[in-house]
């Protein structure tokens, strides 16, 4: 996963009023925390963070430049306005190169068409996984090749091979599998409600 730089500054004053003032100026409030570390109140450019999220996703690795000092961190949470979907607040966790971190990463399924045919389709049963690893082994996502389903009925957690990563799932948990495509049932013609011909109409009169 790429590491992006984000300039930030320490917030001396906190509170709802100050947060509104920051947002009007194009900035947003956040916090930086870490194990056995003092939590810092910070502020940064909202558009810069939005760009990082759009390109790297939630859980992005960043280098926070705070008053000239660089700190490696991971974006842990973004609070958004419900209606307008605006970014309101962000939480960052400071990283230590010798300390493992837990996070959730998405799974992306590729080459569906290589495994599917007229009778079967590929079904993704797990869209994300929980992992634990040192910062240097963090990955932003995992690509799953559906072509493997040509030789096996399913792809499981045990089929993943991620260097330095502990996947916090059972090896037998299914990620993707082949399933039979459903065919629309043909309507059975009800003979009792078929068309009435002229001679039948006469008989009914």
């Amino acid at each position: 996963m790429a590491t992006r730089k984000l300039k930030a500054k320490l917030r001396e004053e906190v509170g709802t009023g100050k947060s509104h003032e920051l947002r009007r100026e194009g900035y947003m409030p956040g916090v930086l925390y870490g194990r056995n570390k003092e939590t810092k109140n910070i502020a940064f450019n909202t558009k810069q963070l939005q760009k990082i999220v759009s390109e790297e996703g939630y859980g992005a690795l960043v280098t926070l430049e705070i008053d000239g000092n660089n700190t490696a961190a991971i974006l842990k949470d973004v609070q958004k306005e419900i209606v307008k979907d605006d970014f309101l607040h962000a939480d960052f966790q400071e990283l230590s190169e010798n300390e493992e971190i837990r996070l959730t990463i998405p799974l992306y399924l590729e080459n569906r068409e290589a495994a599917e045919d007229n009778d079967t389709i590929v079904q993704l049963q797990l869209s994300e996984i929980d992992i634990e690893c040192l910062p240097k082994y963090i990955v932003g996502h995992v690509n799953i090749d559906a072509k493997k389903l040509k030789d096996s009925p399913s792809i499981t957690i045990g089929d993943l091979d991620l260097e330095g990563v502990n996947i916090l799932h059972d090896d037998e948990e299914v990620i993707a599998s082949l399933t039979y495509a459903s065919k629309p049932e043909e309507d059975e013609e009800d003979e009792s409600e078929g068309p009435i011909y002229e001679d039948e109409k006469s008989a009914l009169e």
Side-chain angles (χ1 to χ4, degrees):
M1 176 187 280
T3 301
R4 305 294 296 271
K5 178 165 284 191
L6 179 65
K7 288 187 176 182
K9 59 184 179 180
L10 291 175
R11 288 188 292 142
E12 300 295 337
E13 300 176 282
V14 297
T16 303
K18 289 297 180 181
S19 295
H20 287 320
E21 185 178 330
L22 275 174
R23 296 186 189 106
R24 284 195 297 268
E25 296 172 352
Y27 290 81
M28 61 181 289
V31 295
L32 172 65
Y33 64 89
R35 185 177 298 175
N36 299 322
K37 298 181 183 295
E38 181 183 359
T39 298
K40 298 176 182 178
N41 295 303
I42 57 177
F44 36 85
N45 186 279
T46 303
K47 289 185 177 180
Q48 288 182 3
L49 182 64
Q50 289 173 330
K51 188 173 189 296
I52 290 174
V53 170
S54 68
E55 295 177 356
E56 303 293 337
Y58 295 98
L61 290 178
V62 299
T63 298
L64 288 172
E65 184 182 331
I66 305 174
D67 297 336
N69 298 314
N70 291 331
T71 300
I74 185 169
L75 178 61
K76 293 293 288 185
D77 184 54
V78 175
Q79 297 174 21
K80 302 169 73 175
E81 202 273 334
I82 297 176
V83 178
K84 296 182 180 180
D85 210 33
D86 293 336
F87 282 26
L88 299 178
H89 188 279
D91 296 349
F92 293 89
Q93 181 177 348
E94 187 173 345
L95 299 178
S96 172
E97 62 179 12
N98 297 317
E99 183 179 316
E100 290 190 332
I101 183 173
R102 286 191 178 193
L103 63 157
T104 301
I105 58 173
L107 302 176
Y108 297 144
L109 193 62
E110 300 180 322
N111 299 319
R112 282 176 177 264
E113 67 283 355
E116 295 179 336
D117 55 34
N118 293 333
D119 298 321
T120 58
I121 59 174
V122 176
Q123 183 178 30
L124 183 65
Q125 298 179 224
L126 197 62
S127 60
E128 59 185 21
I129 56 173
D130 298 319
I131 66 171
E132 187 176 56
C133 63
L134 294 174
K136 66 179 179 180
Y137 294 118
I138 291 176
V139 293
H141 65 274
V142 178
N143 292 325
I144 307 296
D145 193 346
K147 286 192 294 186
K148 294 180 179 179
L149 292 171
K150 297 180 70 175
D151 302 316
S152 175
S154 65
I155 299 172
T156 66
I157 291 293
D159 294 320
L160 300 182
D161 184 16
L162 302 178
E163 181 185 2
V165 173
N166 179 26
I167 303 176
L168 305 176
H169 295 257
D170 291 335
D171 284 348
E172 300 302 317
E173 189 168 353
V174 175
I175 297 172
S177 61
L178 285 177
T179 184
Y180 285 103
S182 59
K183 297 181 179 180
E185 296 182 1
E186 297 181 0
D187 294 333
E188 295 183 1
E189 184 177 344
D190 189 344
E191 296 181 359
S192 62
E193 296 183 1
I196 299 177
Y197 298 99
E198 290 299 326
D199 54 343
E200 293 176 323
K201 286 183 179 180
S202 301
L204 293 173
E205 293 177 352

